[in-house]
Amino acid sequence: MKILKETLAKVNRIDMFSPYFFLPFILVLYFFTSLFDFHRYEQFKISESIWPAVILALICYYIGVYIIDKLQWTIPSFGLSLFGKYVIYFVVLLTSLGLACYLMMIFGGGLGISDESNRRNLDPKLNFFSQLLWFGILLLLSYKMILEEKMTWKKAFVYGSIFATVMFLFLLMGYRTPLIIMLFTGIIIFHYVVKRVKLTWFLSILLVIAVVFSMFGFIRVLTEDLTKESNSRDQPDVELTVEEKEKLLTAEQKVNLTPKWILAINQESVTGHIVLSTIIEYTQKEDYLKGEIHRGIFNTILPGEQISPRMKVSEVVNPISVEKGKWITRPPRTTTPTFIGQLFLDGGYLLVAVGFLLYGVLISLIYNKVKQAGIRSFHAVAYAFVITVFTVSMHTGLLDLIFILMLGFVIVASSVIKTDKKNLQY
């Protein structure tokens, strides 16, 4: 018992939100939970191993973090320090723009939570700019918390209530990603400013959050209006041999032995594993897309009809799965490729290595700024936001232009804002 207590005490002293722990831990946990597939890999006839790509990603990420940590480099100001005092005013302007667009979308009938097809048909321009509402409020609230000389539980409750209200507003749109980003950014700020969150507590919280958001997606699917063609659950009409049909039917029967709510708990990670494996299979047959996915991020703002990066991923993985008698993603829906899959599809192992090396470098650069300037600074807010978005992109991929712009703004803002260098301990 004493040994167990001492071990837990050592574990709880870990700064779980440091670059060395948080993102790698979530990435490993994500793919570890995907191992409990309940015969779904057999159903989709997965043939390619994802583990070489995952291990390479982790190694390169750690190399990036370690090099910058040892050199103690931070993001330079690029000679723009004069603009630091205007950052908060600009955030207020962005928040106002986001609020206006959000109200216009909601009053226009944009409740994405009511049905999956509604969520996909939200006005793209209003949807794009409405994201600035939660982004701006997140930065303003987090920075306000950071500046509190004495953070009491009462104040923490007030801030938490405002966070919850904004999260509810975006819950109405049916999107989980902004909710997760707000939630984890808030937890990280709470960890550094209010009370250090022990690892054992965090694991418990993480389990609850994972189950809640999994059930959110599960209920969203259950409540779909099946009379709409876009919500059809019919499988592809493809000719299979008698042996192939029997194998597919046997696999489906095995999957159906597991209750649907249990399948839903790790549905996202299992699907991510399936998509990544299928992407690797595609590149072996058809070669890499050589930048097409990443160009597509910016092409979506061009006039005319453009194919989004996630729709392109659907066009890549679905033809392979159709040959096996199953849709990975029901048309006309899009596919989240995981960040590893996003990089692999465009440039294979080389791009995976470069991408995760840059992730490690960027996160470590901002973390060093926090260590130098103190936690009561905008740098702590920037770090919390950046590492959260990077971690969430392990599943979603970093394919939304709005998130890339948000990251760019936060990183530049962190580099130009001056601090009084209060090296406070946490």
Side-chain angles (χ1 to χ4, degrees):
M1 182 63 72
K2 183 180 179 181
I3 295 176
L4 178 60
K5 287 182 178 180
E6 290 176 352
T7 302
L8 287 176
K10 289 180 181 178
V11 168
N12 284 326
R13 282 197 292 270
I14 295 173
D15 180 8
M16 72 193 110
F17 294 113
S18 75
Y20 285 103
F21 186 81
F22 182 56
L23 187 149
F25 174 75
I26 297 297
L27 178 62
V28 171
L29 183 64
Y30 176 81
F31 284 110
F32 173 75
T33 58
S34 75
L35 294 176
F36 302 94
D37 65 299
F38 300 104
H39 303 285
R40 282 172 283 188
Y41 298 154
E42 182 182 346
Q43 189 180 31
F44 284 91
K45 299 180 182 177
I46 295 304
S47 59
E48 301 301 325
S49 174
I50 67 168
W51 298 110
V54 172
I55 293 170
L56 175 65
L58 283 170
I59 291 172
C60 292
Y61 169 82
Y62 272 119
I63 290 173
V65 169
Y66 181 80
I67 290 174
I68 300 302
D69 182 30
K70 290 304 176 185
L71 295 174
Q72 286 298 297
W73 286 354
T74 62
I75 297 177
S77 64
F78 305 107
L80 301 174
S81 298
L82 291 174
F83 297 98
K85 59 185 177 181
Y86 300 111
V87 168
I88 298 303
Y89 297 108
F90 193 65
V91 173
V92 172
L93 178 63
L94 293 178
T95 306
S96 302
L97 174 61
L99 176 61
C101 292
Y102 179 86
L103 293 175
M104 290 171 64
M105 186 167 57
I106 289 296
F107 287 122
L111 289 177
I113 196 174
S114 59
D115 190 87
E116 177 72 14
S117 58
N118 290 347
R119 185 171 71 93
R120 293 194 305 274
N121 293 318
L122 295 173
D123 185 292
K125 293 185 178 64
L126 291 179
N127 188 17
F128 182 90
F129 287 108
S130 69
Q131 304 295 318
L132 297 175
L133 174 59
W134 67 260
F135 173 66
I137 290 178
L138 175 62
L139 294 186
L140 293 173
L141 280 179
S142 299
Y143 193 40
K144 177 64 176 174
M145 289 177 66
I146 288 289
L147 295 180
E148 290 282 1
E149 292 185 8
K150 184 178 180 181
M151 177 60 70
T152 63
W153 282 100
K154 182 178 180 180
K155 290 180 180 179
F157 177 77
V158 172
Y159 287 121
S161 299
I162 299 174
F163 265 107
T165 301
V166 178
M167 289 175 67
F168 175 75
L169 293 178
F170 282 88
L171 175 66
L172 296 177
M173 292 173 61
Y175 284 101
R176 288 174 290 183
T177 303
L179 307 183
I180 295 173
I181 293 174
M182 287 196 69
L183 186 60
F184 276 98
T185 302
I187 290 174
I188 294 173
I189 296 298
F190 180 91
H191 169 79
Y192 288 131
V193 178
V194 182
K195 182 177 176 60
R196 188 183 180 93
V197 180
K198 296 179 180 179
L199 180 59
T200 49
W201 295 358
F202 176 70
L203 293 178
S204 301
I205 294 170
L206 188 63
L207 176 62
V208 172
I209 292 173
V211 171
V212 168
F213 279 97
S214 296
M215 291 302 104
F216 175 74
F218 180 53
I219 293 172
R220 194 170 65 186
V221 172
L222 287 180
T223 56
E224 287 178 345
D225 183 357
L226 297 181
T227 62
K228 296 182 179 180
E229 185 178 352
S230 59
N231 290 334
S232 172
R233 298 178 187 175
D234 294 337
Q235 292 302 321
D237 184 14
V238 59
E239 291 189 9
L240 300 174
T241 65
V242 174
E243 183 181 358
E244 288 173 334
K245 287 181 179 178
E246 288 179 352
K247 287 183 177 180
L248 180 59
L249 181 60
T250 300
E252 289 177 345
Q253 289 172 342
K254 290 179 181 178
V255 171
N256 291 333
L257 290 175
T258 305
K260 286 185 170 55
W261 68 269
I262 293 180
L263 294 176
I265 291 176
N266 69 339
Q267 177 68 39
E268 303 297 345
S269 62
V270 170
T271 302
H273 190 131
I274 292 171
V275 170
L276 178 54
S277 177
T278 306
I279 284 173
I280 295 172
E281 183 178 350
Y282 172 87
T283 58
Q284 290 179 346
K285 295 177 180 178
E286 304 291 340
D287 201 6
Y288 308 116
L289 296 187
K290 299 176 181 178
E292 186 176 344
I293 293 295
H294 291 82
R295 284 196 301 271
I297 299 172
F298 302 95
N299 288 344
T300 52
I301 62 174
L302 297 177
E305 186 175 349
Q306 306 292 336
I307 298 177
S308 71
R310 291 191 180 92
M311 183 58 74
K312 182 62 182 179
V313 175
S314 294
E315 293 179 357
V316 164
V317 299
N318 267 341
I320 292 177
S321 68
V322 164
E323 293 176 359
K324 303 170 184 179
K326 295 287 293 182
W327 293 114
I328 287 182
T329 304
R330 289 178 288 165
R333 306 185 181 208
T334 60
T335 304
T336 51
T338 76
F339 187 60
I340 295 177
Q342 165 187 340
L343 297 170
F344 199 97
L345 187 54
D346 258 353
Y349 291 107
L350 177 61
L351 196 56
V352 169
V354 172
F356 273 84
L357 182 71
L358 290 176
Y359 257 23
V361 166
L362 276 173
I363 290 174
S364 197
L365 285 171
I366 301 174
Y367 192 67
N368 284 345
K369 198 88 169 181
V370 176
K371 289 191 294 185
Q372 292 179 15
I375 59 171
R376 296 195 183 280
S377 65
F378 186 84
H379 310 302
V381 178
Y383 174 73
F385 180 79
V386 170
I387 197 168
T388 298
V389 173
F390 280 178
T391 302
V392 170
S393 72
M394 292 302 104
H395 167 66
T396 63
L398 191 57
L399 295 171
D400 297 285
L401 180 59
I402 188 66
F403 288 148
I404 293 174
L405 294 176
M406 288 175 179
L407 285 169
F409 173 80
V410 166
I411 292 170
V412 172
S414 177
S415 72
V416 302
I417 285 184
K418 295 180 180 179
T419 63
D420 54 7
K421 295 193 176 184
K422 293 181 181 178
N423 260 326
L424 303 177
Q425 300 298 316
Y426 50 85

